[in-house]
């Protein structure tokens, strides 16, 4: 069977290895596998969320409220915007897909940092659009603006990942606002803030304000998610905040009932449990310092991170594929960044006990080099 040419040339997104695969391949008991590859919340979900899921389980046969009235109202109250400025997606990446289908075609392009979330380029390929990247791996706003000005008639969407996945660096909010002012109103500026709660907790200068963005810029789409600090990765709930013209366009591409009844109940409960969020942020900050200390002790290069993961850049004889394999055989899953063209690994920040295991096991492996 023949498929469109772009499908034949498309690479699969490489997600973190599931626990079940490690159990099957290496015969390790499920309870002994530690997954720190997909930036999930190490505390799981809050008790309030679990209660909401149980209480709504009897309604699993019913479609959710497709208006998502309560969830959008809660988000609107949190950010000081109107419910009409919000769209809900099955993860924020679904909203990225909507946005690119709304703006791109074979004559258009996106612009992004040299190393950033892979789905930007994958979804652009779905539209047969071109992908421009900076030579810098991290966000270099001057280079982004230079490329944009050189291809202004072609570039329809620009992505800023704040903080950046998979590297962890983070632009200051003021720099983001200044950059937004340099972009034409017909160019969609997507600000992916999936990890911004962690960045803002660490440094207030990194905190992005969706209300300020949409009041001052007609072309900005702010993305958030419940997958990280709220611990709902398995429920797949994300949101976009933008001026009404953008939201109205994206809604035309949204399928009905695009999140589940249980996902909707879980997200509403998660927003109300601020204590769980604060616990997660405090743990992340404390344990991040331990990872940085470990890296220094082991002479590993790391990127100072504003997210809930840290990236170690490796130098020969260390190889990221080999290191990940050795950890897998010991029941620890981390993320290999070879698919990004990097000899590097990304490790989700876990609990104190989980990280103790990582430091002990990784230290043992590194002592052999």
């Amino acid at each position: 069977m023949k498929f469109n040419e772009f499908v034949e040339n498309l690479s699969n997104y490489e997600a973190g290895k599931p626990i079940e695969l490690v159990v099957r391949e290496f015969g390790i008991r499920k309870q002994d596998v530690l997954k720190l590859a997909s930036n999930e919340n190490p505390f799981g979900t809050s008790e309030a969320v679990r209660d909401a899921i149980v209480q709504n389980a009897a309604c699993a046969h019913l479609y959710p409220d497709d208006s998502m009235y309560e969830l959008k109202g809660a988000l609107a109250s949190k950010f000081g915007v109107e419910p009409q400025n919000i769209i809900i997606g099955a993860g924020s990446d679904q909203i990225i897909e909507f946005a690119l289908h709304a703006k791109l075609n074979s004559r258009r392009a996106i612009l992004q940092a040299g190393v950033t979330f892979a789905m930007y380029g994958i979804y652009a390929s779905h539209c047969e659009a071109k992908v421009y990247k900076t030579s810098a791996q991290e966000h270099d706003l001057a280079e982004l603006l230079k490329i944009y000005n050189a291809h202004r008639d072609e570039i329809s969407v620009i992505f800023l990942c704040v903080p950046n996945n998979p590297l962890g660096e983070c632009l200051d909010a003021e720099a983001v606002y200044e950059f937004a002012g340099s972009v034409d109103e017909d160019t969609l500026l997507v600000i992916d803030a999936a990890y911004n709660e962690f960045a803002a907790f660490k440094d207030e200068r990194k905190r992005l304000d969706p209300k300020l963005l949409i009041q001052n810029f007609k072309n900005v789409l702010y993305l958030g998610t419940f997958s990280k600090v709220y611990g709902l990765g398995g429920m797949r709930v994300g949101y976009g905040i933008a001026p009404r013209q953008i939201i109205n366009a994206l809604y035309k591409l949204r399928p009905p009932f695009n999140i589940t009844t249980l996902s909707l109940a879980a997200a509403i409960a998660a927003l109300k449990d601020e204590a769980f969020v604060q616990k997660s942020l405090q743990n992340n900050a404390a344990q991040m310092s331990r990872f940085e200390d470990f890296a220094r002790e082991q002479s590993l290069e790391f990127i100072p991170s504003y997210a809930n993961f840290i990236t170690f850049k490796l130098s020969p004889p260390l190889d990221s594929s080999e290191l990940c394999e050795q950890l897998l055989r010991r029941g620890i899953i981390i993320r290999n960044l070879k698919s990004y063209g990097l000899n590097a690994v990304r490790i989700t920040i876990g609990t104190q006990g989980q990280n103790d295991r990582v430091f002990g096991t990784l230290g043992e492996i590194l002592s052999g080099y």
Side-chain angles (χ1 to χ4, degrees), residues 28 32 325-332 357 361 364-365:
I28 300 171
D32 294 332
E325 179 72 15
Q326 291 197 51
L327 285 168
L328 275 179
R329 293 183 179 279
R330 292 165 170 83
I332 298 176
R357 181 178 169 190
T361 306
E364 177 188 328
I365 294 171

Side-chain angles (χ1 to χ4, degrees), residues 57-77:
C59 299
H61 65 295
L62 298 174
Y63 289 115
D65 170 14
D66 198 47
S67 73
M68 303 178 196
Y69 176 84
E70 189 174 356
L71 178 56
K72 290 198 289 185
L75 286 167
S77 177

Side-chain angles (χ1 to χ4, degrees), residues 327-341:
L327 285 168
L328 275 179
R329 293 183 179 279
R330 292 165 170 83
I332 298 176
I333 311 172
I334 64 172
R335 183 66 184 272
N336 182 8
L337 298 185
K338 273 288 173 66
S339 62
Y340 288 87

Side-chain angles (χ1 to χ4, degrees), residues 55-177:
Q55 291 166 10
N56 285 273
C59 299
H61 65 295
L62 298 174
Y63 289 115
D65 170 14
D66 198 47
S67 73
M68 303 178 196
Y69 176 84
E70 189 174 356
L71 178 56
K72 290 198 289 185
L75 286 167
S77 177
K78 176 180 175 65
F79 292 112
V81 299
E82 297 297 323
Q84 294 83 359
N85 295 123
I86 298 171
I87 185 170
I88 306 298
S92 56
D93 52 324
Q94 186 182 47
I95 303 170
I96 295 170
E97 184 178 15
F98 296 160
L100 294 193
H101 279 275
K103 288 291 291 181
L104 296 182
N105 56 45
S106 60
R107 300 180 301 280
R108 298 297 179 180
I110 70 167
L111 174 60
Q112 64 177 57
V115 176
T116 192
F117 186 40
M119 290 309 300
Y120 305 153
I122 291 173
Y123 284 138
S125 298
H126 291 184
C127 304
E128 301 185 73
K130 187 171 183 177
V131 178
Y132 286 105
K133 300 180 181 182
T134 60
S135 59
Q137 293 178 355
E138 302 179 2
H139 283 77
D140 182 330
L141 293 180
E143 187 180 2
L144 283 165
L145 194 56
K146 181 178 180 181
I147 295 171
Y148 175 62
N149 287 332
H151 304 278
R152 192 178 285 258
D153 293 337
E154 187 181 2
I155 293 171
S156 294
V157 183
I158 302 174
F159 284 96
L160 299 181
C161 194
V162 189
N164 190 19
N165 175 32
L167 300 183
E169 99 280 356
C170 188
L171 296 167
D172 284 351
E174 286 299 326
V176 173
Y177 303 151

Side-chain angles (χ1 to χ4, degrees), residues 19 28 37 108 120 140 201-203 206 220 257 277 283 287 363-364:
I19 292 173
I28 300 171
R108 298 297 179 180
Y120 305 153
D140 182 330
F201 186 84
K202 183 174 183 177
D203 185 345
K206 311 296 183 183
V220 169
F257 312 117
V277 171
N283 174 80
Q287 297 301 314
E364 177 188 328

